[in-house]
Amino acid sequence: MNCQICGAELPSDALFCGECGSSTSATPQSRQRADARPSDTTVIQSLRPRQTTGIISVSLDGGALDSATAETGTPLAAAEEPREDVVTPSEPRGAASGISFMLQFSTGETFDVSGNGLIGRRPLPQAQERFDHLLQITDPGRSVSKSHLEFGQHDGELWVSDRASGNGTIVRRPDGTEIVCEAGRRYLVGRGTRVEIGEQFFVVA
C-alpha cells in the first residue's frame, strides 16, 4: 500500500503515513461533515503554501513583531511561553482523555486540550457527534469557518482534519514540510507544528 499524499510505501494495516503524517484514507463520514457554507466564511486568496524562512515568534498582546517577521511578512509561531492573561477555555464538554496539548493561537487565545474537539468561530457538532472541546476563536475578518477544524489523538499524537472549511487548512511542520490539507483527511501534527486556518493559525505546544 502506498500513501495517497506523498507516495511512501506503507504496511497494509497502517492508519497514518510515517513520512507525511496523513491518514491512509479519508472516511466517508468525515467527507459528509461539510459544516462550512458560502455565507459562513469570508473567502481569502487561493490556498497555497507560502515561502518561509524559519520559525519566528509573534507577540500575543498585539505588539510589534520581531524584525525577521517584517522581512518575511508572515509570523510563523506563537510566543514560547503563554501569558497569564490569555483567554482560556471553560471546562471541556464530556470526559476529556489522552495526553494534554497546548494550542497557542495567533489571536492571543491559548487552550489546553486533551481528547478531541472542534475549532472555529462558532463550532457546532453535527447530530450524533460528541466532543471534549469546542474552541471558539476570535476572527473579526471571518476567514475562519464556524466549524473549521476537527482534532483528536492517535497513539499519544495530535491529529487535525479540515471540516470542508471555506479557506482550508495548511500544516507547517518544524522540519519545513508544508501540507495543504484535504478536507476529511486526518494529519498528525507534532509539537512545534503550525496549523494555518484562514488568516489565523495556532502552534501545537
Side-chain angles (χ1 to χ4, degrees):
M1 181 172 68
N2 293 88
C3 175
Q4 297 177 22
I5 302 298
C6 69
E9 187 173 347
L10 304 174
S12 59
D13 60 347
L15 296 179
F16 287 88
C17 172
E19 293 295 323
C20 69
S22 67
S23 60
T24 54
S25 65
T27 62
Q29 303 98 303
S30 65
R31 289 184 180 277
Q32 293 170 4
R33 293 199 296 255
D35 292 338
R37 293 169 291 280
S39 61
D40 170 23
T41 307
T42 299
V43 177
I44 57 177
Q45 62 184 1
S46 300
L47 184 68
R48 61 181 183 276
R50 291 169 287 184
Q51 293 299 113
T52 58
T53 58
I55 299 301
I56 303 170
S57 63
V58 55
S59 171
L60 292 181
D61 60 3
L65 303 176
D66 58 23
S67 59
T69 301
E71 293 176 3
T72 61
T74 305
L76 292 185
E80 291 97 354
E81 296 296 332
R83 290 164 47 94
E84 293 183 357
D85 59 347
V86 167
V87 177
T88 56
S90 58
E91 289 297 317
R93 305 189 179 196
S97 60
I99 297 173
S100 178
F101 295 87
M102 178 179 290
L103 307 183
Q104 298 177 318
F105 283 80
S106 54
T107 61
E109 296 152 307
T110 299
F111 301 94
D112 285 312
V113 301
S114 59
N116 62 2
L118 285 178
I119 298 173
R121 292 194 343 269
R122 289 179 59 189
L124 182 66
Q126 293 189 356
Q128 309 303 318
E129 288 186 323
R130 297 292 181 271
F131 292 100
D132 299 314
H133 304 271
L134 297 177
L135 306 187
Q136 183 173 347
I137 67 169
T138 304
D139 182 37
R142 298 199 312 167
S143 67
V144 177
S145 296
K146 291 180 180 178
S147 294
H148 194 111
L149 192 73
E150 179 181 350
F151 66 86
Q153 293 190 32
H154 173 74
D155 287 346
E157 292 190 70
L158 192 71
W159 57 258
V160 297
S161 178
D162 186 271
R163 301 267 296 202
S165 64
N167 285 310
T169 301
I170 294 179
V171 168
R172 298 182 188 274
R173 298 202 172 96
D175 64 2
T177 303
E178 301 174 348
I179 299 175
V180 177
C181 297
E182 176 186 341
R185 185 181 293 275
R186 296 175 178 181
Y187 297 83
L188 293 175
V189 287
R191 299 181 194 274
T193 298
R194 165 175 159 144
V195 181
E196 298 182 0
I197 51 176
E199 293 180 330
Q200 308 298 338
F201 67 87
F202 65 88
V203 175
V204 181

